[in-house]
Amino acid sequence: MAKLLRSPLAPSALPILPPVTGVKLAAGQAGIRYQNRTDLLLVELAKGTAVAGVFTRSKAPSAPVDWCRQHVADGKARALVVNSGNANAFTGKKGAIAAQKSAMAAANIYNCPASEVFLASTGVIGEPLDVEKIERALPVLAKTLNSDRWEEAASAIMTTDTFPKAATRTVAVGAEKVTINGIAKGSGMIAPDMATMLAFMFTDAKIAAPLLQQMLQQSNAKSFNATTVDGDTSTSDTALMFATGLGPEITVANKGVFVKALDEVMIELAQLVVKDGEGAQKFIEVVVKGAESDQAAHRIGLSIANSPLVKTAIAGEDANWGRIVMAVGKSGEKVDRDLLSVAIGGVVIAKDGERVESYDEAPVAAHMKTRDIVIEVDIGLGKGRAVIWTCDLTHGYIDINADYRS
């Protein structure tokens, strides 16, 4: 596959992620599919690390997803192994064996149960994973572990991504500080039904696994589950969070500041995934309010954000607001045509079911030429609200996916 140009929506630089006590990382070239690029990540986690996870709802999940689902309820983690280039999905019993062997290879390094090793794979579906390459590479990586290799880690998990994705926050909990670092990958096959990518969050806080699971699920709903690139849900979607327990304790009573920081990290990562959408030239925020419920607003927002007609109009910088009305109407949610209003870039175009008499397309047309597009829809029925993030649909998406396996 040809080298992809960096997305025009990419940030100018990766943020500097501070060390997280109890977390060490190493990335290297195992030659799983790619040549001359990192494709394997090993993360060492302190003994006693708590883990939480959310996974794809695809009915054809990958072997690593099955493995993680089986063991995440135990709430204990000692290592994370991630490979890119091969999804180890739809690989039958061979895939399950490869996942088990990968976990056992890391478990042997740390003298821990294989159930405390968590896995993720991303890449081509249906190709058997050559697990021997991982088994050979892990002991070598273990000798190079360090607490500051976040950029290498974020790069090792990429497939069609054009830039590594990372976010960090440090907050005060009482007299002590807590750090949250996160890395993610995702560019195509992005449609939320859990999350639609790989994402890994790490903190030095001490958090009981059940509370960690609750916080991850709630933050996920506000972040990765509010994104879409192409409407396709991956077989490999995995979001894992690890709490090493070497910092101050987070409880139900004092979790507020921590939850806010976690939301910010995960929303930032989710938006970076959208900004790296395959072929994307524009970042789109869809705000829906006035729906019967938050869930209804969410579904209406996704109907707009997943519409090829809406996305191509934005790619062509065409202020075709009728396509937005179309997408609202097909959502399946309760809508009253005569209460509906639509705005683009802060300019109200339609209100109470018809175009406003004073509508001037010039400022909307100017907004459509920018990189960041804002669509606002008021359903006029209730208090339900949702925000969805997506990108435009360009010919670049076709080019990338037509050439993906070559």
Side-chain angles (χ1 to χ4, degrees):
M1 185 172 183
K3 183 176 176 60
L4 301 173
L5 296 176
R6 186 177 175 90
S7 169
L9 304 173
S12 58
L14 197 76
I16 298 174
L17 275 63
V20 173
T21 307
V23 178
K24 293 182 178 180
L25 314 97
Q29 299 179 18
I32 293 167
R33 177 176 178 83
Y34 306 119
Q35 299 300 316
N36 302 315
R37 61 178 271 191
T38 55
D39 60 0
L40 186 63
L41 169 65
L42 172 64
V43 182
E44 176 188 299
L45 303 162
K47 291 181 179 179
T49 293
V51 61
V54 286
F55 309 96
T56 183
R57 291 178 185 159
S58 168
K59 301 302 182 183
S62 69
V65 166
D66 285 340
W67 176 268
C68 290
R69 273 190 179 139
Q70 182 182 350
H71 300 297
V72 73
D74 295 337
K76 299 177 181 179
R78 189 72 173 86
L80 169 68
V81 177
V82 186
N83 76 269
S84 59
N86 185 309
N88 194 13
F90 213 75
T91 46
K93 292 181 180 179
K94 291 179 181 178
I97 292 171
Q100 184 181 34
K101 286 185 174 181
S102 296
M104 290 176 64
N108 289 337
I109 295 171
Y110 295 108
N111 193 27
C112 70
S115 60
E116 293 185 12
V117 177
F118 286 80
L119 308 172
S121 297
T122 179
V124 175
I125 294 170
E127 295 289 337
L129 175 64
D130 187 349
V131 71
E132 291 184 0
K133 292 181 177 180
I134 294 175
E135 291 174 315
R136 287 195 298 268
L138 285 178
V140 178
L141 288 186
K143 296 177 182 178
T144 65
L145 288 158
N146 202 299
S147 61
D148 63 358
R149 294 187 169 163
W150 293 99
E151 184 169 2
E152 294 174 45
S155 297
I157 64 177
M158 300 194 314
T159 51
T160 57
D161 304 61
T162 68
F163 63 90
K165 302 164 184 66
T168 184
R169 295 292 187 279
T170 298
V171 294
V173 178
E176 300 180 83
K177 289 185 177 180
V178 165
T179 296
I180 305 171
N181 284 354
I183 60 174
K185 69 82 52 182
S187 186
M189 206 179 287
I190 306 294
D193 199 1
M194 179 298 288
T196 315
M197 43 2 75
L198 302 183
F200 309 105
M201 280 64 64
F202 305 86
T203 181
D204 49 3
K206 182 179 181 181
I207 309 173
L211 179 59
L212 189 67
Q213 182 69 36
Q214 180 187 77
M215 290 191 293
L216 177 63
Q217 289 179 193
Q218 291 174 347
S219 290
N220 183 67
K222 304 171 188 175
S223 56
F224 296 114
N225 265 10
T227 64
T228 181
V229 167
D230 50 21
D232 287 334
T233 296
S234 170
T235 60
S236 304
D237 300 342
T238 299
L240 294 168
M241 184 164 182
F242 303 94
T244 65
L246 299 178
E249 184 172 9
I250 304 297
T251 65
V252 173
N254 71 349
K255 69 176 184 178
V257 173
F258 183 89
V259 167
K260 181 176 182 294
L262 178 60
D263 286 349
E264 290 176 356
V265 166
M266 292 180 64
I267 288 172
E268 186 173 331
L269 290 173
Q271 291 182 350
L272 288 172
V273 170
V274 170
K275 289 178 179 180
D276 203 12
E278 290 171 342
Q281 298 292 307
K282 296 179 185 293
F283 177 74
I284 306 165
E285 181 175 83
V286 179
V287 180
V288 178
K289 59 183 180 180
E292 278 199 312
S293 65
D294 289 347
Q295 293 78 10
H298 187 86
R299 285 189 282 269
I300 292 168
L302 285 176
S303 183
I304 297 167
N306 278 325
S307 167
L309 287 175
V310 172
K311 292 157 77 73
T312 50
I314 293 172
E317 300 179 346
D318 178 11
N320 193 340
W321 60 273
R323 293 183 177 183
I324 299 170
V325 174
M326 172 280 299
V328 172
K330 72 165 187 173
S331 68
E333 296 301 317
K334 185 175 180 180
V335 174
D336 186 331
R337 178 197 60 202
D338 296 331
L339 297 177
L340 186 67
S341 67
V342 176
I344 297 177
V347 177
V348 178
I349 299 170
K351 189 174 183 180
D352 298 329
E354 61 181 332
R355 190 179 68 181
V356 297
E357 291 186 8
S358 60
Y359 172 55
D360 177 4
E361 189 168 301
V364 178
H367 179 71
M368 297 296 286
K369 295 183 181 299
T370 67
R371 291 288 190 191
D372 297 309
I373 307 299
V374 180
I375 296 171
E376 297 170 280
V377 175
D378 192 337
I379 307 303
L381 291 175
K383 297 182 179 180
R385 187 180 187 278
V387 180
I388 303 294
W389 298 288
T390 189
C391 59
D392 57 344
L393 181 59
T394 72
H395 202 281
Y397 182 87
I398 298 171
D399 294 338
I400 292 168
N401 284 285
D403 191 36
Y404 181 58
R405 294 199 305 160
S406 60

